[in-house]
């Protein structure tokens, strides 16, 4: 039976308009001003906005850091995603040292297949580059993995500059896209050692050991190496004005640089590291929370379309037991925060309602741009006839408060505790099936793997 979503306002990056939308099986069949019911199941969306299903291209579910396993796996993480309006996540399949990429991908499928409540894809995080791994890049593309992640910090994960150069060229040749975690790993190690030697062991030492120039230097180096390898690139979780300035310099030379930031860099600042009773550990993530000036810069960059995507870097660890591993030494606090469930509401409330971005930009930054960059458009990220019927019926009149007491994320806190939000999904459709109703998951484990094609390298700035 077909379904009609009636009376809503369709929101797209190019503009918004009142229309009805008809779903046939798992696809969008038709969008028109008035559609006759003709026996279809009708959902009344009067007063609601219809967004393309949101995409979060930065989650770490069921991931071990070596000392801690993330609190959220694909069961709880994707329930959190879908209830908030995120219909697709792209998680980081991560190669262990000595492992093949094929094995790493198999491991991640085993975690996600049959478990996920939203659609899912994988970036491949490469930690052990060698000639046989190079030969696996084509296999990854054939498996629908067309984006790769590299770290410039974290000793168990990071690649050298030479490896970065080589991998960039290799991935460019298959029209994939690399995303890099930009922090200078040597400097971070040195500064952590300095803090420990000085007896500075509280969470306040965490941001002090990862200052803004540590990010900016890594961004700059990455972008020079990208220029030399003639590769378009993505920067994940950009957090500083200093780093953003490096992006502008590279773009002024004509380089294609895509940039992601995360809600926590927009909403929270470094004052969270001065809380009492070790509460600051909740906010220990890398890069760390920054200054108000950095926040302002990131919001302005979103407004100017200079930042392309907003994803979460959802990487949750329980405050009790897990974050507590670092009670006597900040460098032992597992890095990361939850966020996948709350990104759409936070961005709608503090972005759209506060006039920092438009709702059309929200559709771009949380959905369409992400789909294009990661080779999913127009299957995902679009409300066009033939696209997957991933639709968020957004009720802008809803008022609520974020609290860990009522969330799907399986972690004992949220960094947004007590935050007032406006708007939530009245309904979420995943490939035509309604899976969320008014804050409740009504069908779970319906997620499917998204086999991605090459990156679009869409034109960015005019
Ligand atoms: N930063 C985090 O805070 N957690 C996961 C990995 C990362 O880069
Ligand atoms: Zn990272
Ligand atoms: Zn991450």
């Amino acid at each position: 039976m077909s379904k009609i979503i009636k009376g809503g306002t369709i929101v797209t990056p190019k503009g918004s308009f009142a229309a009805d939308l008809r779903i046939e099986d798992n696809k969008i069949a038709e969008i028109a001003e008035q559609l006759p019911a003709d026996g279809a199941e009708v959902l009344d969306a009067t007063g609601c906005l219809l967004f393309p299903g949101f995409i979060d291209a930065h989650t770490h579910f069921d991931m071990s850091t070596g000392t801690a396993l993330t609190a959220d796996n694909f069961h709880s993480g994707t329930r959190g995603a879908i209830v908030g309006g995120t219909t697709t996540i792209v998680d980081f399949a991560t190669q262990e040292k000595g492992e093949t990429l094929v094995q790493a991908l198999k491991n991640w499928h085993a975690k996600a297949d049959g478990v996920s409540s939203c659609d899912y894809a994988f970036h491949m995080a490469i930690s052990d580059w060698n000639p046989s791994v190079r030969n696996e890049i084509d296999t990854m593309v054939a498996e629908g993995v067309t984006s790769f992640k590299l770290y410039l910090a974290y000793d168990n994960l990071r690649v050298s500059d030479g490896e970065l150069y080589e991998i960039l060229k290799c991935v460019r040749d298959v029209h994939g896209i690399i995303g890099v975690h930009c922090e200078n790993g040597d400097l971070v190690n040195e500064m952590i050692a300095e803090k420990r030697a000085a007896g500075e062991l509280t969470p306040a030492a965490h941001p002090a050991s990862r200052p803004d120039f540590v990010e900016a230097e890594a961004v700059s180096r990455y972008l020079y190496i990208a220029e030399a390898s003639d590769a378009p690139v993505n920067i994940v979780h950009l957090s500083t004005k200093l780093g953003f300035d490096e992006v502008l310099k590279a773009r002024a030379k004509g380089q294609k640089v895509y940039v992601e930031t995360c809600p926590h860099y927009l909403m929270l600042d470094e004052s969270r590291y001065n809380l009492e009773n070790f509460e600051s550990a909740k906010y220990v993530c890398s890069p760390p929370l920054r200054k108000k000036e950095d926040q302002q810069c990131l919001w302005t960059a979103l407004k100017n379309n200079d930042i392309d995507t907003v994803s979460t870097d959802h990487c949750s660890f329980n405050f009790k037991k897990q974050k507590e591993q670092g009670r006597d030494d900040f460098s032992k606090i597992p890095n990361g925060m939850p966020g996948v469930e709350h990104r759409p509401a936070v961005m709608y409330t503090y972005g759209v309602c506060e006039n920092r971005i438009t709702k059309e930009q929200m559709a771009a930054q949380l959905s369409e741009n992400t789909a294009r960059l990661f080779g999913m458009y127009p299957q995902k990220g679009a409300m066009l006839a033939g696209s997957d019927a991933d639709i968020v019926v957004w009720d802008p009149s809803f008022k609520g408060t974020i609290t860990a007491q009522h969330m799907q994320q399986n972690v004992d806190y949220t960094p947004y505790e007590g935050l007032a939000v406006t708007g939530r999904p009245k309904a979420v459709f995943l490939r035509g099936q309604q899976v969320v109703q008014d804050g409740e998951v009504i069908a779970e484990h319906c997620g499917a793997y998204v086999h991605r094609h090459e990156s679009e390298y869409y034109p960015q700035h005019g």
Side-chain angles (χ1 to χ4, degrees):
M1 197 210 294
S2 63
K3 298 183 176 114
I4 291 181
I5 306 176
K6 213 166 184 38
T9 298
I10 307 247
V11 183
T12 81
K14 290 207 171 68
S16 302
F17 52 94
D20 297 346
L21 182 150
R22 187 163 63 82
I23 297 169
E24 217 43 88
D25 300 322
N26 52 2
K27 299 283 184 192
I28 297 174
E30 192 180 6
I31 295 172
E33 218 171 292
Q34 290 279 347
L35 287 172
D38 276 347
E41 195 182 311
V42 176
L43 184 121
D44 181 9
T46 307
C48 291
L49 304 172
L50 269 54
F51 283 103
F54 298 119
I55 302 169
D56 188 337
H58 196 146
T59 66
H60 300 274
F61 295 151
D62 210 348
M63 186 191 78
S64 171
T65 63
T67 58
L69 179 67
T70 54
D72 282 298
N73 56 20
F74 281 83
H75 173 74
S76 60
T78 60
R79 281 178 61 96
I82 201 80
V83 84
T86 295
T87 50
T88 303
I89 56 113
V90 192
D91 200 80
F92 291 96
T94 302
Q95 177 203 23
E96 302 276 333
K97 293 253 190 264
E99 199 174 55
T100 63
L101 302 187
V102 167
Q103 185 59 49
L105 183 59
K106 207 167 154 203
N107 296 345
W108 251 260
H109 271 295
K111 295 168 194 271
D113 295 352
V115 174
S116 293
S117 290
C118 68
D119 283 0
Y120 57 97
F122 303 119
H123 309 285
M124 179 54 65
I126 300 172
S127 68
D128 194 353
W129 181 247
N130 58 54
S132 74
V133 168
R134 181 189 313 149
N135 288 332
E136 290 188 288
I137 296 294
D138 284 340
T139 314
M140 290 298 105
V141 172
E143 294 289 332
V145 175
T146 52
S147 52
F148 298 83
K149 163 95 175 271
L150 301 174
Y151 290 85
L152 298 180
Y154 296 123
D155 290 345
N156 57 335
L157 293 169
R158 66 177 158 143
V159 295
S160 70
D161 293 346
E163 289 168 334
L164 170 61
Y165 177 59
E166 211 185 317
I167 299 168
L168 276 165
K169 287 191 295 179
C170 200
V171 170
R172 172 206 65 194
D173 288 345
V174 296
H175 301 149
I177 187 96
I178 302 257
V180 169
H181 173 120
C182 292
E183 288 187 299
N184 181 317
D186 282 347
L187 279 180
V188 168
N189 289 347
E190 200 56 35
M191 293 171 109
I192 289 175
E194 259 175 24
K195 296 288 162 202
R196 293 172 73 186
E200 293 177 37
L201 297 170
T202 71
H206 173 71
S209 66
R210 306 177 104 100
D212 58 358
F213 69 84
V214 164
E215 176 175 85
E217 186 282 330
V219 169
S220 166
R221 181 159 36 101
Y222 173 36
L223 294 182
Y224 275 113
I225 295 171
E227 185 181 25
S229 53
D230 197 22
V233 287
N234 183 34
I235 297 171
V236 301
H237 54 47
L238 188 82
S239 66
T240 61
K241 177 176 183 313
L242 216 54
F244 179 67
D245 289 344
E246 296 300 328
V247 171
L248 292 182
K249 275 191 228 163
R251 284 183 181 156
K253 292 189 285 182
Q255 281 182 253
K256 254 197 188 318
V257 184
Y258 298 93
V259 177
E260 169 202 89
T261 193
C262 312
H264 49 275
Y265 299 119
L266 298 163
M267 296 296 299
L268 307 171
D269 66 56
E270 62 180 7
S271 62
R272 303 273 169 154
Y273 296 118
N274 299 319
L275 303 176
E276 290 183 359
N277 302 326
F278 195 60
E279 286 283 309
S280 293
K282 292 178 177 174
Y283 304 93
V284 166
C285 60
S286 293
L289 302 178
R290 302 297 189 179
K291 297 186 189 328
K292 292 235 182 302
E293 301 88 90
D294 294 298
Q295 278 183 349
Q296 190 47 53
C297 165
L298 298 175
W299 276 118
T300 304
L302 281 172
K303 192 172 192 70
N304 295 338
N305 298 321
D306 285 331
I307 289 181
D308 301 278
T309 59
V310 178
S311 289
T312 59
D313 201 3
H314 178 105
C315 187
S316 58
F317 297 101
N318 285 310
F319 179 60
K320 294 209 177 89
K321 299 237 165 72
Q322 294 192 297
K323 292 281 187 180
E324 269 174 0
Q325 290 171 12
R327 193 172 269 282
D328 301 321
D329 179 350
F330 74 93
S331 69
K332 297 197 166 59
I333 301 170
N335 283 201
M337 286 195 288
V340 70
E341 187 164 340
H342 300 122
R343 175 187 62 138
V346 167
M347 292 304 294
Y348 185 78
T349 308
Y350 296 93
V352 176
C353 298
E354 302 274 333
N355 292 319
R356 291 174 167 130
I357 57 170
T358 63
K359 59 184 184 307
E360 292 77 18
Q361 286 179 304
M362 179 164 161
Q365 292 158 354
L366 274 66
S367 187
E368 183 175 312
N369 290 353
T370 320
R372 286 182 185 274
L373 184 59
F374 294 117
M376 292 183 268
Y377 186 85
Q379 179 192 349
K380 304 291 187 191
M383 283 189 289
L384 298 170
S387 296
D388 281 359
D390 296 343
I391 294 149
V392 180
V393 181
W394 188 261
D395 174 5
S397 69
F398 176 81
K399 300 271 183 205
T401 303
I402 294 177
T403 173
Q405 305 293 313
H406 301 288
M407 64 179 191
Q408 297 296 332
Q409 296 173 159
N410 183 34
V411 54
D412 62 4
Y413 78 99
T414 158
Y416 304 115
E417 185 69 37
L419 194 73
V421 284
T422 298
R424 75 166 179 190
K426 173 188 164 94
V428 178
F429 290 84
L430 179 66
R431 280 173 288 102
Q433 180 180 1
Q434 188 178 347
V435 291
V436 170
Q437 173 79 49
D438 297 322
E440 300 292 333
V441 179
I442 57 171
E444 62 174 1
H445 306 317
C446 303
Y449 176 63
V450 183
H451 184 109
R452 295 181 292 124
H453 49 83
E454 59 190 40
S455 177
E456 228 178 82
Y457 311 143
Y458 57 90
Q460 289 173 290
H461 310 283

